[in-house]
Amino acid sequence: MAISPEVLEQLRTETSEVAPLDLSWLNLDNAWGIRAKPGKRGLTLDEVEIGPYGDVPQRSDNATFRPRGAVARPEALRVKLPYQERADVYADNLRLLYEEAVQRQWSSATDVPWETIEPLPDNMELAMCQLCTFLTEVEFIAGDTPGQWMPKINSDYHEVKLFLLSQIMDEARHLDVFRKRALANGGGLLSATAENGLRRIIEAQDFTEMSAVLHILGEGFVQTLFRMGEYIAQNEAEKKIYRLAAQDESRHVAFGVMHLKHIVEEQPGRREELHWYYDQAESILRTEGVTGAQYTTQAIALLAGRGDIDKGVEVVQAILRKQVNEYMHRLEVAGLGDRRDRMSPWLKPYLDPPAN
Amino acid sequence: MTQGGVKTRASFPSTEWFEAVRSLVNSDEQYRRIGTCDAVVGVKVPDRQKYYLLTFEAFECSEVKESTEQEVDNADFWLEAPFEKWKELITNVKDNGKADLHHTLNTIDLEDPQGFARSRDGYKRDLFYRFNQSFQYFFDLSSKIETTFPN
């Protein structure tokens, strides 16, 4: 194909003109000479947060994707203004939790000894599959919810973005592993739930509201469910699934506790607002129960009692007691100990007396 | 574990026993692959008045030492059970090569109304769950030790 004389002329013209050298991208004043060194855990976020890069601003007007420490360009296009206050989204354990999450990833395809699953009595298989259906459903929300908050996190607080991304990966794995377990032994996916409680989480209007309800209440209760799943597991595969999922969930709870602590300390005027979020969330638990449906709770009781539903109901009650007390302990660590007096009348009877 | 062709023999509870497991963990590539683990874990055998502190740091168990009950109370969390329960756990691990379905750390924790893992701080107790696979692996490796139990 012949090239047109006009294009040929244009190419000749462009190659004959050299653009003046633009050195405006150089950031020598700020960064030259900084050398991050790996520590015991490798080159982690803690090791690179040095010099001016380690200063996490209390407030940021950054409405672009400029990384913290880079020089701003006045011509950069802006996005919808994200959170500007560090206290609104931050927690002191973010870097640690992100690195821990990356280090402790696992594969549902290869790290679970699926070959140890053997046929179970029909009622036990169906009960396990109902539990796995519920957990798969829960994990959709646990992944979707942090996902929708990503654009609202300021680029100057990238640790929050990184942690939320690691959580989304964790929830993706949970979603797939419980689906796989339901389909691995003849039972399949069973009944979904009403989902009012799940909607409450995804419809949160504020980051702290989302974290308070998702990370501390929701994931705290689910973490206990995972531990119970390990307890009632019928084989090595289920043991490992629940143990590994509980580990992941504990990181999310840990973020929630430290974020809430950050808020209580940095923005003490928000206490009533925080209680309101918990008032709302606890009331939904009352209507729907911890698992969103009585039939799922009954399936858990069947598993916990190894087929004896009465014995299983006792175990489920003991687990609920653990869930409520651990929820309260976490709130106490975060500085919201007065929740003890304000807790929903439905949950309060499960509370042990306060430790001296 | 064999050291110079001799299988390690240690009495439980003792610093030597925990040192033997620590040595196994620190030379185990699979343990590293589980990921970083950072926690100070207490061990209480109250009816024998024996207390230990295990320090997990990055990819290794960096220290084990005998301690006092007060020091163990300040660990991130501690594992507490009477001697016979510890003996049952360790014997089960030995017999099966690892804990069977009824003797995992989490199962023992849930069966005890007070919990096997205890702490004065709800956030720090969560480290037991956050690193549970690492701690389970630590105790499972004790299957490679010839454990004796004093009367």
Side-chain angles (χ1 to χ4, degrees):
Chain A
M1 190 173 76
I3 191 163
S4 73
E6 291 80 13
V7 171
L8 199 58
E9 182 54 32
Q10 194 180 356
L11 286 171
R12 281 188 184 128
T13 308
E14 281 182 358
T15 51
S16 64
E17 283 182 13
V18 178
L21 197 57
D22 179 1
L23 296 178
S24 66
W25 53 275
L26 285 174
N27 182 18
L28 295 178
D29 293 343
N30 209 18
W32 188 245
I34 285 186
R35 289 181 175 83
K37 299 274 192 305
K40 269 190 167 184
R41 295 160 191 79
L43 191 64
T44 66
L45 289 180
D46 274 336
E47 272 83 29
V48 300
E49 299 299 349
I50 50 178
Y53 300 102
D55 296 333
V56 185
Q58 292 293 336
R59 183 179 170 80
S60 169
D61 294 325
N62 184 7
T64 71
F65 296 115
R66 175 185 59 78
R68 188 171 74 222
V71 174
R73 303 292 303 208
E75 71 274 24
L77 299 180
R78 294 182 173 222
V79 294
K80 192 175 176 184
L81 192 64
Y83 277 104
Q84 292 181 284
E85 300 288 333
R86 168 184 151 133
D88 284 333
V89 295
Y90 216 74
D92 290 337
N93 56 358
L94 276 163
R95 296 173 192 167
L96 175 85
L97 290 173
Y98 169 71
E99 295 288 356
E100 191 179 304
V102 172
Q103 285 287 343
R104 297 181 77 87
Q105 291 295 301
W106 50 280
S107 160
S108 65
T110 57
D111 286 327
V112 175
W114 292 105
E115 70 283 1
T116 63
I117 294 187
E118 293 180 346
L120 295 174
D122 286 354
N123 61 346
M124 300 299 276
E125 178 62 24
L126 288 167
M128 180 55 78
C129 287
Q130 178 54 31
L131 174 58
C132 288
T133 305
F134 165 68
L135 293 174
T136 305
E137 197 175 7
V138 163
E139 300 299 349
F140 275 113
I141 293 293
D144 287 358
T145 300
Q148 68 180 3
W149 287 90
M150 291 293 298
K152 298 172 185 170
I153 305 299
N154 197 304
S155 301
D156 276 346
Y157 309 132
H158 61 257
E159 293 94 338
V160 186
K161 285 181 186 283
L162 292 173
F163 171 76
L164 293 179
L165 285 166
S166 75
Q167 180 184 349
I168 292 166
M169 187 60 225
D170 291 342
E171 310 298 10
R173 192 172 46 247
H174 298 175
L175 193 161
D176 90 51
V177 80
F178 292 117
R179 184 178 180 85
K180 285 174 181 172
R181 169 58 193 92
L183 299 176
N185 206 27
L189 291 159
L190 298 175
S191 179
T193 55
E195 300 185 356
N196 292 343
L198 299 180
R199 278 180 68 101
R200 175 75 189 81
I201 293 171
I202 204 163
E203 288 175 352
Q205 299 294 304
D206 172 80
F207 183 82
T208 298
E209 176 186 11
M210 177 278 290
S211 178
V213 178
L214 173 67
H215 293 125
I216 298 186
L217 184 61
E219 303 217 51
F221 274 51
V222 170
Q223 184 234 45
T224 315
L225 266 186
F226 287 164
R227 283 153 48 204
M228 194 183 64
E230 203 261 12
Y231 172 65
I232 62 185
Q234 311 276 325
N235 48 62
E236 286 292 339
E238 291 168 1
K239 279 272 172 193
K240 198 153 185 191
I241 289 169
Y242 285 109
R243 190 185 303 144
L244 293 175
Q247 288 192 154
D248 298 339
E249 212 74 350
S250 301
R251 286 193 296 274
H252 313 158
V253 175
F255 168 72
V257 172
M258 285 297 118
H259 173 63
L260 187 64
K261 186 168 190 281
H262 200 74
I263 287 287
V264 168
E265 289 171 358
E266 303 273 325
Q267 301 177 343
R270 296 183 66 179
R271 292 186 78 87
E272 275 308 307
E273 174 201 342
L274 296 169
H275 280 299
W276 189 87
Y277 297 146
Y278 284 119
D279 288 343
Q280 301 301 307
E282 288 172 7
S283 70
I284 289 174
L285 279 183
R286 180 181 188 174
T287 333
E288 290 195 353
V290 173
T291 61
Q294 276 306 313
Y295 46 82
T296 305
T297 305
Q298 288 160 4
I300 295 170
L302 190 68
L303 290 162
R306 314 268 173 204
D308 179 344
I309 192 112
D310 291 334
K311 187 180 165 201
V313 166
E314 284 177 27
V315 177
V316 167
Q317 287 296 305
I319 295 297
L320 182 55
R321 171 166 245 102
K322 269 190 187 291
Q323 285 173 315
V324 173
N325 281 288
E326 287 167 0
Y327 166 55
M328 190 60 238
H329 289 160
R330 290 173 187 132
L331 291 175
E332 280 167 351
V333 170
L336 210 64
D338 54 335
R339 189 72 206 155
R340 180 175 288 279
D341 300 323
R342 303 181 58 163
M343 194 174 283
S344 153
W346 176 72
L347 295 177
K348 227 175 188 175
Y350 294 96
L351 269 181
D352 294 336
N356 291 324
Chain B
M1 180 174 82
T2 57
Q3 288 177 340
V6 181
K7 199 160 197 169
T8 300
R9 192 179 168 87
S11 171
F12 182 91
S14 69
T15 308
E16 292 71 30
W17 190 89
F18 286 109
E19 275 292 353
V21 183
R22 184 176 88 90
S23 171
L24 285 165
V25 158
N26 290 348
S27 58
D28 191 298
E29 190 54 33
Q30 189 59 37
Y31 176 79
R32 285 182 65 87
R33 283 200 206 121
I34 297 172
T36 50
C37 172
D38 293 276
V40 177
V41 181
V43 169
K44 288 190 182 185
V45 192
D47 48 345
R48 296 293 170 105
Q49 295 284 294
K50 287 289 190 181
Y51 309 97
Y52 300 90
L53 278 175
L54 320 178
T55 304
F56 293 86
E57 201 175 3
F59 299 100
E60 62 175 14
C61 176
S62 58
E63 186 183 34
V64 299
K65 65 175 184 180
E66 187 157 5
S67 191
T68 64
E69 184 168 22
Q70 288 71 27
E71 283 177 323
V72 169
D73 285 344
N74 291 321
D76 289 328
F77 67 90
W78 68 86
L79 301 173
E80 178 169 344
F83 175 73
E84 284 303 320
K85 189 68 188 176
W86 279 108
K87 184 177 176 182
E88 179 188 330
L89 186 163
I90 293 162
T91 305
N92 179 271
V93 165
K94 180 72 185 167
D95 291 347
N96 297 288
K98 61 181 182 178
D100 72 6
L101 299 184
H102 308 291
H103 290 85
T104 60
L105 301 180
N106 177 68
T107 296
I108 294 169
D109 183 55
L110 286 180
E111 280 177 343
D112 185 335
Q114 288 184 278
F116 181 38
R118 304 178 195 179
S119 177
R120 292 177 170 173
D121 182 318
Y123 174 75
K124 290 181 176 176
R125 194 198 46 229
D126 276 342
L127 296 174
F128 172 64
Y129 315 119
R130 234 162 87 188
F131 302 120
N132 195 267
Q133 181 67 17
S134 301
F135 301 137
Q136 187 64 57
Y137 199 86
F138 180 92
F139 281 99
D140 282 353
L141 273 182
S142 74
S143 68
K144 297 183 178 176
I145 295 171
E146 283 298 335
T147 303
T148 58
F149 299 96
N151 291 323

